[in-house]
Amino acid sequence: MLAHRDVLGLEPPLIKVQCKHTASTKGRPDIQGLLGTLGAKDEHGLFVTLGSYSSEAAALERERHNLRLLGGKEITDLTLTYYESLPATWRDKLPLKRIYVVDENIS
């Protein structure tokens, strides 16, 4: 999948996205596959998985300024943080309800 800042795809950077619908841990070889598709200096890679990443994959992300790894925990955190600002069509696809519980850590 490709993503651009503008509708015509003329403005850098070009973002190449690889998504994995799996809860398994993704390793360095999986990430290197995406990196192998990056050619130009203005190309960036985004690897998205419902699972997690190995320590070697995380190290590769730290080495590469044009790579971002997004795992299941981050997807959940982002969803909960920005849920209220999502368009209604997306909230209808993922209906959530806020529930309050007593905080046991209050002293």
Side-chain angles (χ1 to χ4, degrees):
M1 177 185 317
L2 297 177
H4 307 275
R5 289 183 186 210
D6 65 303
V7 178
L8 296 176
L10 301 175
E11 181 183 330
L14 175 67
I15 304 166
K16 294 185 177 179
V17 183
Q18 186 170 355
C19 300
K20 297 295 182 183
H21 185 268
T22 177
S24 64
T25 300
K26 294 298 174 191
R28 189 177 182 104
D30 298 306
I31 310 310
Q32 286 174 319
L34 172 61
L35 290 174
T37 68
L38 303 181
K41 179 180 108 173
D42 290 334
E43 291 186 351
H44 294 259
L46 172 62
F47 198 105
V48 181
T49 183
L50 295 176
S52 60
Y53 296 96
S54 69
S55 57
E56 293 85 10
L60 185 57
E61 179 185 29
R62 288 188 298 275
E63 294 169 13
R64 300 291 300 258
H65 73 281
N66 63 341
L67 174 65
R68 175 72 169 96
L69 305 180
L70 193 64
K73 182 183 178 332
E74 293 85 8
I75 293 168
T76 301
D77 291 345
L78 288 168
T79 301
L80 295 176
T81 300
Y82 297 103
Y83 183 78
E84 297 298 326
S85 62
L86 287 173
T89 54
W90 286 102
R91 289 193 316 264
D92 290 344
K93 294 177 189 287
L94 181 66
L96 298 177
K97 182 195 285 188
R98 185 179 302 267
I99 298 175
Y100 294 95
V101 296
V102 175
D103 187 356
E104 296 177 355
N105 296 322
I106 295 178
S107 45

